[in-house]
Amino acid sequence: YSATASVQLNQQAPRILPNRDLDPEPSVQDSERFLQTQLDRIMSRSMAEAVDSRLRASSTPRILAALGFDEGGANARREDVITALQENVIAVLGLNTRLARITFTSRDPAVAATVANAYAEALGSSNLIAKGATATQAEQYLMGEMAEAKAKLQASERAMLAYARSADLTTTV
């Protein structure tokens, strides 16, 4: 049995700078590369590991049986389950669309649907984590730039006050 989950893939990088000229939109070639990367990530080992963790597939008899492990999966090791997850998932992108179809095939239709949906959820979670990391990096960069600007401003103020004192331009009340 095969079950399919659909996921919309949007390439929206967080805006750090308000001026579009300083923070341009990705090119068409970058968009195609992004979409292919997303498809490759779906079929990656790390995504299969995330699905295994999310579903506890390595220790769930019904999932193990649906993946072809006999006697409720008594012979299954986590490595074998992850390999089976990878071998039974397919991710394709439709023509002129950003909708990816994640199809999972197993011996049990309910398990096929559960695993296909778990792949979609794992991809979404992974993308949110990546965007959060990007935002954190941007924040750290901007905080560093602000600290540097503050230090320069303070140095300039000290230099100005020193000059004003040396030229006797200050008044005391």
Side-chain angles (χ1 to χ4, degrees):
Y1 298 93
S2 292
T4 301
S6 295
V7 179
Q8 185 170 339
L9 304 174
N10 290 327
Q11 181 182 7
Q12 296 174 334
R15 283 243 175 252
I16 298 168
L17 303 171
N19 186 338
R20 286 187 178 270
D21 294 335
L22 298 175
D23 198 10
E25 292 291 323
S27 69
V28 172
Q29 185 180 22
D30 287 339
S31 294
E32 290 172 6
R33 189 175 299 126
F34 167 79
L35 293 171
Q36 184 59 52
T37 299
Q38 293 295 298
L39 295 177
D40 292 344
R41 287 182 63 227
I42 291 167
M43 296 178 15
S44 72
R45 177 177 176 78
S46 63
M47 197 64 61
E49 289 172 346
V51 169
D52 177 57
S53 294
R54 182 178 292 266
L55 297 178
R56 302 186 219 288
S58 298
S59 60
T60 305
R62 183 173 182 179
I63 295 175
L64 293 170
L67 292 175
F69 296 100
D70 60 352
E71 298 176 22
N75 65 338
R77 294 176 321 167
R78 185 169 192 262
E79 293 299 316
D80 296 332
V81 172
I82 290 169
T83 299
L85 288 170
Q86 276 186 278
E87 289 173 350
N88 291 295
V89 69
I90 297 171
V92 295
L93 193 63
L95 187 62
N96 296 322
T97 183
R98 289 186 167 270
L99 277 181
R101 291 185 308 276
I102 303 169
T103 302
F104 191 80
T105 303
S106 78
R107 296 177 181 181
D108 182 327
V111 169
T114 299
V115 175
N117 287 331
Y119 265 98
E121 291 168 5
L123 179 66
S125 294
S126 175
N127 284 341
L128 285 175
I129 290 168
K131 286 182 182 184
T134 300
T136 300
Q137 288 173 343
E139 178 184 19
Q140 290 172 349
Y141 169 76
L142 292 174
M143 293 299 283
E145 291 294 306
M146 285 176 36
E148 187 178 319
K150 181 180 178 182
K152 287 180 182 178
L153 176 62
Q154 289 172 339
S156 294
E157 287 175 340
R158 282 192 299 274
M160 179 190 68
L161 287 173
Y163 173 77
R165 284 187 192 118
S166 70
D168 201 26
L169 297 174
T170 58
T171 58
T172 16
V173 179

